[in-house]
Amino acid sequence: MEAPPTPPVTLGRLLADHELGLRHLAGPAEGEVHGVHASEMADPSPYLLGGELLLTAGAGLAGADREGGGTDAGEYVSRLVRAGTAALGFGVTPVHETVPRSLVEACARHGLPLVEVPPGTPFTAVGRSVWRLMARARTAELRRVTEAQQSLAAAAARPDPVPAVLRRLAAALGGWAGLLPTDPAQPPGAAAPEPGPAPAAPAGPSGPTGPSGPTALPGPASADPGVHAGPLPGPEVLAALAALARRVAPGSAATATAAHGELHLAAHALGDGRALALATPSRAPGDHTVASVAAVLLTLLTRRPAGAQAAALTRLLLGAAPGEAVGPGPWYAVRARGSGDPQALAAALGTVLLDPREDGVRLLTDRDPAPQPGWRLGVSAAAAPDALPGADAQAGRALERAEAARTPMARHADPGFAGLVGEAEARAHAEALLGPLSPVLRDTLRGWLAHHGSWDRAAAALGIHRNTVRQRVARAAGLLGTDLDDPDTRMELWFALRRSAAPPQAPPG
């Protein structure tokens, strides 16, 4: 079950609310509540997402008698546990004067927290308390994320920005943060070049760090941490992080997560063969946002092309030609739509040249793009710098084809005039234009046009008499209401027949 984006409320905080007067009866006294749902159904599990505090007065528990001899309570609780219910709140009166003993025993047996809701506490009051506590937690989370973002931005402005960002990130998440290569053959020391000279950073309790590149520590080459901060994990954890970093190699996912014992592991693609690796003892709300901000900053700080692209923009503004400003390429224009972070997408595609818009994202990259999880991409053909406007149009049409076909990525591949119209749009136009024609008439017209209007050659190719060809072509012209002697008409019909979805049928002899 995927937890909602709103921070959960612990059951202990609800039990501590004296105005509600909830009383813990069975099961663990702690747990995370992600929502509230009230139901008197005998089996509400099909309508639960998981993580709810389910409130009931017990109307659906016909077998849960006061003497505890019923068996329905055990089945009821078992279904709730399978549905991922966080806790069960039982309201006494008007159906039951006390919580049925069989329900208490079933909750204790299955480990489902059970609380008694007193008669004076409406279910709506419990729900409002949960939403109020969730709103407070959300506010606290936003404040924490904002403070972490400001701290990371300040660290990025230091003379040793990469180690400083990692130190702030490790402190914010309460764990370890470092840079690892996404290519197992690449030495860790090559995984974190930083532009410009910087003074050496002192070694801390987490081990030595170097601002101009990672300092390799003893251990397997595939698990050597480079620039890092925080308590250094053991070799097994580093090896697991190295494997996770390979999952965000170019052409793969932008982020990847895993668990190792009680540690939460994560890797974020930075581009140029690097990944931000994290090992934290817990996963608090907002951690992913903080890590994503750090990944964007580290992408900009560790990629030498970032400075080159800033210089390229300066040259363009001062009148240089595109080829002189950004290099010969080849370049690829990318159009993207999705629900992910545009900065993370740019990092996964190895570029910082992006233009996020309301209707999607435009990017330029000198790497051959690959599909990215959570995004639908349209990719242009490889282009020189002076052809980038046309490449952007190609990427837009490719994105339309990708969305029409529901594929993760589509490339511009069809040259010439046919490539100016998307496949779905072309087929729709062809069917509308050729709608009056039967498959036999379409096949005859296609053969006649393919032989430049020659009756004899068309008849020989189709295996029919030349007079039959004449009759069918005349019939087609009449149904279409067009003049087949007009070259523009012939050209439009030829393109339509090539895009027609109707399969050719062999005409009768």
Side-chain angles (χ1 to χ4, degrees), residues 95-113:
V95 182
H96 297 268
E97 293 183 1
T98 60
V99 180
R101 187 194 316 165
S102 59
L103 184 63
V104 177
E105 294 173 351
C107 287
R109 186 168 59 253
H110 290 278
L112 178 66

Side-chain angles (χ1 to χ4, degrees), residues 437-448 458 461-464 468 472 497 500-509:
L437 303 186
S438 66
V440 170
L441 291 180
R442 294 188 188 189
D443 190 54
T444 303
L445 185 58
R446 185 185 294 107
W448 181 69
L462 295 170
I464 58 178
T468 305
R472 291 178 180 174
L497 287 165
S500 173
Q505 296 185 5

Side-chain angles (χ1 to χ4, degrees), residues 336-393:
R337 290 194 185 102
S339 57
D341 181 2
Q343 297 283 359
L345 173 64
L349 296 179
T351 183
V352 295
L353 299 177
L354 78 156
D355 177 23
R357 299 184 174 191
E358 292 184 359
D359 60 342
V361 182
R362 299 194 307 173
L363 305 98
L364 286 177
T365 178
D366 56 357
R367 295 183 179 182
D368 190 7
Q372 300 296 325
W375 291 93
R376 187 157 282 145
L377 307 181
V379 180
S380 73
D386 56 357
L388 289 178
D392 179 57

Side-chain angles (χ1 to χ4, degrees), residues 116-140:
E116 179 188 81
V117 183
T121 301
F123 285 176
T124 53
V126 179
R128 288 178 180 176
S129 179
V130 169
W131 305 133
R132 182 173 62 252
L133 292 172
M134 294 176 78
R136 292 177 182 173
R138 180 61 171 168
T139 301

